[in-house]
Amino acid sequence: MRISISLIKIYWSFHFRYEKYIIHYLKNMIKIMFCPLIAHLNLHGTMVILSWKQLQIVTLKTSAMKKIKTSLWVAIALIILGATISCGSKKERLNGDIQSLGKITGTYTAKLGAPPYAPPSITQYTSPQKVVVNIEVIEKEMELANGVKYTFWTFNGTVPGPMVRVHQGDEVEVHFSNSPNSTMPHNIDFHAATGPGGGAEASATAPGRTSIFSFRALKPGLFIYHCAMAPVGMHIANGMYGLILVEPKEGLPKVDKEFYVVQSEIYTDGKFGDSGLQHFNLEKALDEKPDYVVFNGRVGSLMGDNAFQAKTGDKVRIFFGNAGPNLTSSFHVIGEIFDKVYLEGGQLINQDVQTTLVPTGGAVITEFTCKVPGYYTLVDHAIFRAFNKGAIGQLEITGEPNKEIYSGKIKDEPFTSKPALP
């Protein structure tokens, strides 16, 4: 409509001397034909508000009438032309993404990554594929900390759920099953999907049933997925979340190691470390006061024997998500500087970053090169969460020392005061 009005204004600029007659004539024509369709027109800088009281019949001379009729027909033609152009541009916007992505040429079942490891990259990708993703909801009792149990609601039996890896342009066909042993309906919301609820409506599934839906991966990036069944926060806090990576068509650059981490909060009736089976506490969740803030679903999930392993010279990529459901994360690796940070999991890359903010329901891709052997600590740098609530992990780097980069302790000697400088 804007295009139509602009074209009319251009045409009227050559007929300004008939503006008075044209406006009155259009009022009467609109009264008869177009009032239900048009609210206002802006003709040659004159705003015409159409209302039944303002419309009046005007008698015109025959010569003026002919000229105005000609102008009116031209105006109507311009309206039709503008509408056609507008409709065409809308179709182009709607279909442009799909046409640029290409046609689906094959089908395969996704190999999912069990945390803390990312699934392998598809090195021979040439064209969009239909990727079948099988996800099953399993409600099960698992260890939250030493001596502490919790009934988690999981995707495929792990917290977080499996990491999914596809390419931009792929059609992701989700086979979503809810175990017959589940106590309630569940669903899944992919932040990578364009459609109502990210698939939540299409995947709402009762216990003992399977739902199937699909979406086209239009945009590259690292995205959260989670259960969106009410109450949403409770389902997320109970472990129903994971990451899906949509690689750009050309793929991500090759690295030596890839790891998969998701931070989340757990709200329990007991305090941190209270033994036995703990249950979800809604009041604490509403107050945003978690007892546990953890990496990959439990305290110590990435510590000790579970620490990440790498060697000096390795280029490491960490896919990091923040499921929340409430808190923002300040992701940091103590002793390392990120070479690259794909901000919020998108295509914008920042370099030489110490700590990166990850919003609730968001993700980030970080990369760094291992230069010095030793233990490196992954934390949420809201530091009490790390050392007192569980948001902590380890990376063990092995290899030869590099004294030019890091000396280690050179000397340990008694402190002696020195004279103050003048």
Side-chain angles (χ1 to χ4, degrees), residues 10-22:
I10 293 170
Y11 182 78
W12 288 148
S13 66
F14 294 103
H15 295 77
F16 61 91
R17 55 182 170 178
Y18 300 111
E19 180 181 23
K20 178 179 177 181
Y21 302 109
I22 291 168

Side-chain angles (χ1 to χ4, degrees), residues 25 58 69 94 100 127 177 292 318 360:
Y25 186 77
V58 177
K69 281 183 178 181
L94 290 172
S100 65
S127 60
S177 301
Y292 298 85
I318 298 177
T360 304

